[in-house]
Amino acid sequence: MKQSASQAEGEAEEKPLAYVKAIPLKEYGDLEKIKAELRSGNVLIVKLTPLAVSSIEAVKDAIEELKAFVEAVGGDIARLGEERIVLTPPKIKIWRRKAQ
């Protein structure tokens, strides 16, 4: 049976090793979803603004918890401007410019 071009393309597509996902941090409870995504091997760009609108202290606590989690699993975390952080799973490190 002959395949259409779209079928052939779909079968040729490989499952990605990981995704880069943008996730808003709306409430402290979102941390579990973020941790699960990181455990799955995905790179996350987390927007902090939604939670910051309601509580800066909650944002600080969330960042501290995420930092401890990322370090425990061997990943990496860095600030990405004023409103976002980036989190990476193990084996993916964030390049940092050395201070001069």
Side-chain angles (χ1 to χ4, degrees):
M1 183 191 273
K2 193 172 182 179
Q3 291 181 334
S4 70
S6 61
Q7 285 175 326
E9 287 174 16
E11 289 177 5
E13 238 179 81
E14 292 183 29
K15 186 174 187 249
L17 296 174
Y19 292 96
V20 176
K21 294 187 174 186
I23 299 177
L25 181 60
K26 296 178 184 174
E27 57 187 45
Y28 201 80
D30 290 341
L31 293 181
E32 291 310 311
K33 180 172 91 172
I34 291 168
K35 290 176 183 179
E37 289 288 349
L38 207 59
R39 279 189 212 100
S40 296
N42 295 316
V43 175
L44 305 175
I45 299 170
V46 179
K47 188 169 183 177
L48 304 171
T49 310
L51 183 59
V53 169
S54 61
S55 172
I56 294 295
E57 278 306 310
V59 171
K60 290 178 184 176
D61 292 343
I63 290 172
E64 286 303 314
E65 185 172 331
L66 288 171
K67 184 177 177 185
F69 175 78
V70 167
E71 288 173 359
V73 298
D76 207 355
I77 184 171
R79 194 166 99 178
L80 196 61
E82 292 296 317
E83 299 178 354
R84 293 176 178 84
I85 57 174
V86 61
L87 301 110
T88 63
K91 298 188 179 182
I92 298 177
K93 297 297 173 200
I94 300 166
W95 177 83
R96 292 170 173 83
R97 187 173 303 166
K98 295 185 183 196
Q100 294 182 6

